[in-house]
Structure formats: C-alpha cells, structure tokens
Amino acid sequence: QVQLVESGGGLVQAGGSLRLSCAASGRTFSSYYMGWFRQSPGKAREFVAAISRYGSSTYYADSVKGRFTISRLNAKNTVYLQMSSLKPEDTAVYYCAAASSWYSDRVDYTETYDYWGQGTQVTVSS
C-alpha cells in the first residue's frame, strides 16, 4: 500500500507557473506508475499526465501538452507536475495517483489507479 500527499497548489495569474509535488510513503515508490488528474466543480475527474515507473515514458492530455511536464525522483519518493503558461481553465483540484500495473493505452483511465491523494487546489485567475 502507498500513501500519497500532494502539495504546491495555490492561486496564480494566467500565464504563470506552479509546480505540484506528490510525496509517497509505504511500499517502494519505484514499484508504481504515477499519474496526475484534475477535477473542476461539476465535472468528471480528468487525466492530466502520467509517468512510468522509472520515468522512461510520459503521457499527457492534449489540453496540457507542451505546457505541463511530469517527472519523478524515485530517490525522494516524489512525483512532480511542472505547470507553465497556466490558463483559467486549468483551475481544478489536482490529484496524484499510483498504479501497481497498467496498460499504456489506459493510463488516462481513473480505474487504472489503485491509490489516490487528497488533492491540492490550483486556481488560475484571468
């Protein structure tokens, strides 16, 4: 089992940047594939980005490609989401998630992930 705690959210102006962190504890961090999702009020949770166990493969939603970067540092049991050129539509609660296994064509499915953090709020003002 793994516990996930997100941090780094906040209020930022459009065009600004934020870096989210997700610290994991429990089982060996490198055993897990990691993902970031987000959810706005009244909307379903949506995929943002994912990274393989050792960082060799990354995946992004079209809406964030070129603006967001996912990375991980297994020595620190942490996964990051660097967000740049933020837009008001990026406003949401951001969640990190861990998967024990996955299929590369399902990294954007919430059902793929076994563990979830509590989320961190990101608000982008126009």
Side-chain angles (χ1 to χ4, degrees):
Q1 193 166 355
V2 65
Q3 293 78 43
L4 304 171
V5 178
E6 302 95 336
S7 61
L11 174 64
V12 63
Q13 286 190 330
S17 299
L18 277 177
R19 187 178 79 158
L20 305 183
S21 300
C22 174
S25 61
R27 263 189 63 189
T28 307
F29 181 64
S30 58
S31 300
Y32 294 97
Y33 303 85
M34 300 298 296
W36 284 97
F37 287 74
R38 66 187 181 187
Q39 188 167 21
S40 305
K43 293 188 176 181
R45 193 166 295 189
E46 66 171 356
F47 170 75
V48 176
I51 189 166
S52 58
R53 291 182 299 168
Y54 295 96
S56 58
S57 298
T58 56
Y59 307 84
Y60 296 94
D62 288 344
S63 59
V64 307
K65 206 169 290 183
R67 300 188 298 122
F68 291 12
T69 302
I70 188 171
S71 61
R72 66 189 296 164
L73 193 55
N74 287 347
K76 290 194 172 184
N77 291 354
T78 303
V79 62
Y80 304 96
L81 186 68
Q82 177 67 48
M83 306 185 295
S84 303
S85 301
L86 282 161
K87 305 175 181 179
E89 51 263 42
D90 294 318
T91 295
V93 177
Y94 283 70
Y95 299 90
C96 74
S100 302
S101 62
W102 74 11
Y103 294 100
S104 60
D105 60 346
R106 295 187 179 182
V107 302
D108 55 340
Y109 287 34
T110 56
E111 294 80 1
T112 292
Y113 297 85
D114 307 299
Y115 305 101
W116 293 83
Q118 296 285 80
T120 185
Q121 176 71 46
V122 171
T123 302
V124 184
S125 63
S126 56

